[in-house]
Amino acid sequence: MNKRSLAVLLRARMRPNNSAKLAFSPLPNRSGARAMQPSSDNANKPQRSDDIYSICFIDFEHVHDSMHSAISMNKTEVLDTVLNDFSEGYFSLCYENRRRLLLVLAKEYDLNRTQVCELIKQYLGVMGEEAQSAGHEEDGVLGSFYRIERNLRHALKPMYEGLFERLNMHPGGLKVLTSLRADILSILAEENIASLRALDSYLKEKLGTWLSPAALELHQITWDDPASLLEKIVAYEAVHPISNLLDLKRRLGVGRRCFGYLHAAIPGEPLIFIEVALLKNVAQTIQEVLWDDPPIPECEATCALFYSISSTQRGLAGINLGKFLIKRVITLVKRDMPHISTFATISPIPGFIQWLLSKLASQSKLAEVNDISQSSADRSGSAFRENILEPEEEKALMDLSEEFVAGENGMERMLNLLTSKSHEWSNFAPLLSILKTPLLRLCARYLLREKKRGKALDSVANFHLQNGAMIERINWMADRSENGLHQSAGIMVNYVYRLENIEEYAQSYFSTGQIHASDDVCRYVEPLNEHQPATDKRG
C-alpha cells in the first residue's frame, strides 16, 4: 500500500476525536458459520441452514484432526503441512467451533493426572525406602529420586505444549498463537472455565518467554516506513486516535518520535508502540502535544514526554512489553540527545470517574438513610458513611441554584453534574471553579490510596508505578475530549521516570505497594495513618 492508498484509507475509516477502541478479538461473528463464497453453479441458490451446519461441522472435524496430528506427529517432513492446515483451518472456523476446539484442546490435551499420581506414589515409596535404609545404598536411592523427578517433570507438561512449541517454530505460528490467546481471553470474559484458564496461563507464560526483550527489535517508526506499517499505527492507536493524514505526519515529524517493538515472526507489525513529544517542559495538557503550534527546535528540548502507548495484539494482554519498551526508549533518547534530562508522561486515568461515581452513589444513598435514622435509635448506616466532600466543598455545591443542578446533598449534586448529558458542566466556568478542588483531591486519593491486591487500582497508574515511575503532578482539564471527560473528568496525570530511582521505586512498589509521589500531589490528601506504608515525598 502506498501513501496515496493510505490517505484514501484514512479518509474512509477515521473520524476526528473518535475514541472507539478497535475490536481486538479475531473471533468471527458468533451468529453463524464462516462466510462462504458460492460457486458459479450455486450463486443464486439459497443455502439451507442444515447445509451450513454440515460445512461448519466438516470444518471442525478437519481442524480437530490437523490439531491432533500437530500434537502427536513425529514425522518432521510433513509437520509444516499439518501446521499450515491447522492454522488456515482454525481461522476459517465460526465462533462456536473455535470455542469447541479450544475447550477440546484444554480438556483432552491436558496433562495425564493418572500418570502424575502414580509417579508421586513411587516418589513417596522411595522416600520410605530411604528412611529404612538409614543411609545405606545412598547412590541407588538418589538415582531413583532423579529418575522419578525427571519423569515427573515430563508428566507435568500438558500435551498442548507440543502444539505451542511447534507453532512457535513454524513460519507465521507466533501470530496464530497470539490469535489463539485472544480468542481464549474473549471466551473467558464470558465464561469462567477452569481448564481454559489453565490453558491461558500456560500459553501466556510461553509467550512471555518467547517475547523476551532479546528477541524483539526496537524500531523508530517514521514517515518513510512502508504504508502498511503506518496503517497499523493508525488502526491500533488506542489512547489518542489519529484523526487524519496530517495528524499522523505530525506525530512522526520534527519534535516527535514513535518507537515500536518488532518481532521477526510477525514482520511489518509492531507488537507495541510508544509516541514521544520533545518539549521544553512537562506538558500539563494533551492539547499542547496534539494540537498546538509547530514544535520547538529539537535542540531546545529538555523533556521527552511519553503521551501514548498502545498494544496491537489482544493476545499479549498481561505480558508487560511496555516496561521494556519504555526503558529502552529512555536509553536510546538519552544516548542520541544528551540534553534531554526529564522523562515523563501525560497519562489518562481511565478508572477514576467509574470509581468516583460508584462512591458518590453509595454515599448519597447512605446519607439519605442516615438522615432518616437521625430521629430514631437506628445508626446502622453511620458506620459505613464516608466523608467524600469537605465542608466547604459541600457548601459550594449546595449554594448552587437548582436551575443548574438538583440534589439533597453535595454528593448527590456532584453525581448529577458528572452524569449530565454531554458533560455540560465542563463548559460553564462557575461549575468548573466549584468542581476543581474536590475533583483534584479525590483524584489524588484514587491514585495514592485506592488499591487492589496491594497495588494501585487504576490500570495505567499500576503500569507506570511497577515500571519505576513516580506521580509528579495532577492536571486539571488536561483532556477535554469526550473520552477524557467521560473517564476522568478531563484530569490527566504526569508520571516521571527519574533515571537514578527507577529500580528502587519499582522494587519498593513491587514488594510493599509503596507509591512514590511529589509533595504537590501528596498535599491533596490527608496524612496517612501510622499503620499504612508512608508515601515517598520529594521536596
Side-chain angles (χ1 to χ4, degrees):
M1 183 189 300
N2 57 28
K3 294 290 195 312
R4 182 181 181 83
S5 300
L6 178 62
V8 173
L9 174 80
L10 289 166
R11 286 196 297 271
R13 293 187 181 178
M14 296 193 307
R15 298 290 183 272
N17 300 322
N18 180 9
S19 61
K21 298 287 181 69
L22 186 72
F24 287 108
S25 173
L27 286 170
N29 190 314
R30 62 179 70 187
S31 62
R34 65 186 174 97
M36 303 295 296
Q37 181 66 39
S39 66
S40 57
D41 293 337
N42 298 316
N44 299 316
K45 184 178 179 180
Q47 195 142 22
R48 299 180 314 181
S49 60
D50 55 342
D51 291 339
I52 294 176
Y53 177 82
S54 176
I55 293 169
C56 219
F57 179 77
I58 293 170
D59 280 349
F60 176 82
E61 293 302 321
H62 173 74
V63 180
H64 178 274
D65 290 345
S66 63
M67 181 179 76
H68 177 77
S69 298
I71 292 172
S72 58
M73 184 176 289
N74 292 321
K75 296 180 180 180
T76 56
E77 63 272 16
V78 294
L79 185 58
D80 281 348
T81 301
V82 171
L83 290 171
N84 280 333
D85 285 347
F86 169 73
S87 301
E88 294 172 7
Y90 179 80
F91 287 119
S92 76
L93 293 179
C94 60
Y95 171 84
E96 291 303 330
N97 278 347
R98 286 202 197 184
R99 180 184 175 280
R100 283 177 61 198
L101 190 73
L102 290 169
L103 287 175
V104 167
L105 182 64
K107 294 177 179 178
E108 298 182 14
Y109 294 88
D110 198 359
L111 54 86
N112 186 335
R113 289 182 175 80
T114 302
Q115 183 184 9
V116 171
C117 289
E118 181 59 35
L119 288 168
I120 291 174
K121 289 178 182 177
Q122 292 178 25
Y123 198 83
L124 293 173
V126 173
M127 289 182 68
E129 293 173 9
E130 181 188 37
Q132 292 176 7
S133 66
H136 301 297
E137 301 178 356
E138 183 178 345
D139 286 346
V141 172
L142 285 175
S144 297
F145 275 137
Y146 295 149
R147 174 179 55 80
I148 298 172
E149 288 164 357
R150 182 182 65 249
N151 293 339
L152 192 56
R153 281 193 297 270
H154 180 75
L156 286 170
K157 293 181 179 180
M159 293 176 65
Y160 49 66
E161 182 191 62
L163 177 66
F164 298 160
E165 296 278 2
R166 288 174 168 181
L167 278 172
N168 182 52
M169 300 298 292
H170 182 68
L174 185 62
K175 181 69 173 178
V176 176
L177 288 171
T178 60
S179 297
L180 276 174
R181 184 160 183 259
D183 290 351
I184 293 168
L185 291 173
S186 295
I187 297 167
L188 286 175
E190 299 178 355
E191 305 174 77
N192 189 13
I193 304 171
S195 59
L196 207 57
R197 284 203 317 272
L199 179 70
D200 172 61
S201 178
Y202 203 88
L203 181 52
K204 176 185 174 183
E205 184 178 338
K206 285 291 183 183
L207 288 170
T209 301
W210 294 328
L211 295 173
S212 66
L216 301 173
E217 174 198 352
L218 180 64
H219 175 71
Q220 182 177 344
I221 299 163
T222 71
W223 184 248
D224 295 324
D225 274 310
S228 58
L229 189 151
L230 300 184
E231 179 192 355
K232 302 294 191 304
I233 301 301
V234 172
Y236 289 110
E237 165 55 73
V239 184
H240 304 292
I242 297 172
S243 56
N244 52 49
L245 196 59
L246 180 62
D247 188 11
L248 174 63
K249 194 169 186 178
R250 184 188 298 118
R251 297 192 195 198
L252 302 176
V254 176
R256 300 292 183 266
R257 297 289 187 274
C258 183
F259 298 93
Y261 261 152
L262 302 180
H263 192 283
I266 309 179
E269 183 169 348
L271 304 182
I272 187 172
F273 60 92
I274 190 169
E275 296 172 71
V276 188
L278 304 177
L279 308 170
K280 282 187 177 180
N281 300 296
V282 178
Q284 298 186 48
T285 70
I286 193 60
Q287 291 88 337
E288 297 172 49
V289 178
L290 298 180
W291 303 338
D292 276 5
D293 294 333
I296 62 169
E298 292 186 359
C299 60
E300 297 180 12
T302 61
C303 170
L305 188 82
F306 308 128
Y307 65 93
S308 178
I309 183 164
S310 301
S311 174
T312 68
Q313 308 294 321
R314 170 77 172 105
L316 299 182
I319 300 172
N320 194 355
L321 299 179
K323 171 183 178 180
F324 304 111
L325 177 60
I326 286 176
K327 289 183 176 179
R328 286 191 64 180
V329 169
I330 288 175
T331 301
L332 182 63
V333 171
K334 190 67 178 173
R335 185 196 69 190
D336 294 346
M337 291 179 281
H339 54 282
I340 299 291
S341 57
T342 302
F343 296 90
T345 79
I346 185 158
S347 300
I349 314 168
F352 172 52
I353 283 296
Q354 181 181 1
W355 166 82
L356 179 57
L357 294 181
S358 176
K359 280 283 184 186
L360 290 170
S362 61
Q363 292 303 314
S364 295
K365 183 63 68 175
L366 284 173
E368 291 177 15
V369 171
N370 191 63
D371 289 341
I372 294 171
S373 66
Q374 288 296 319
S375 58
S376 69
D378 179 14
R379 294 289 186 271
S380 58
S382 300
F384 300 98
R385 283 203 64 187
E386 187 177 359
N387 186 16
I388 294 291
L389 297 175
E390 297 294 337
E392 60 274 17
E393 297 165 354
E394 174 86 19
K395 182 178 184 303
L397 284 162
M398 294 307 295
D399 286 344
L400 282 171
S401 169
E402 288 202 2
E403 69 179 271
F404 294 121
V405 62
E408 297 298 321
N409 54 63
M411 290 181 291
E412 187 177 343
R413 288 193 166 201
M414 178 179 279
L415 177 64
N416 291 337
L417 283 171
L418 294 177
T419 55
S420 61
K421 184 180 178 181
S422 303
H423 311 287
E424 293 170 349
W425 61 271
S426 65
N427 297 314
F428 191 50
L431 290 180
L432 284 173
S433 176
I434 289 171
L435 289 173
K436 179 178 180 179
T437 299
L439 285 178
L440 287 175
R441 178 178 59 78
L442 290 167
C443 184
R445 167 187 161 169
Y446 171 72
L447 292 172
L448 293 174
R449 302 282 186 80
E450 299 301 320
K451 303 287 186 74
K452 180 180 180 181
R453 297 173 186 164
K455 301 297 187 291
L457 179 60
D458 188 79
S459 59
V460 175
N462 182 58
F463 170 78
H464 287 294
L465 294 169
Q466 72 180 355
N467 293 343
M470 66 176 294
I471 303 175
E472 179 69 18
R473 184 173 60 203
I474 300 173
N475 302 298
W476 177 245
M477 286 292 108
D479 183 1
R480 289 178 171 269
S481 70
E482 172 67 23
N483 191 50
L485 293 169
H486 174 73
Q487 67 180 5
S488 62
I491 301 172
M492 300 189 79
V493 57
N494 297 125
Y495 299 97
V496 171
Y497 286 86
R498 303 193 183 284
L499 304 187
E500 66 276 14
N501 299 124
I502 286 179
E503 296 304 326
E504 175 195 345
Y505 288 180
Q507 180 57 40
S508 62
Y509 181 71
F510 174 78
S511 58
T512 67
Q514 183 181 7
I515 294 176
H516 301 268
S518 67
D519 279 343
D520 288 341
V521 173
C522 291
R523 287 192 189 101
Y524 283 113
V525 295
E526 305 105 26
L528 292 169
N529 296 328
E530 294 179 2
H531 302 291
Q532 293 177 284
T535 300
D536 179 74
K537 294 188 177 183
R538 183 187 56 82

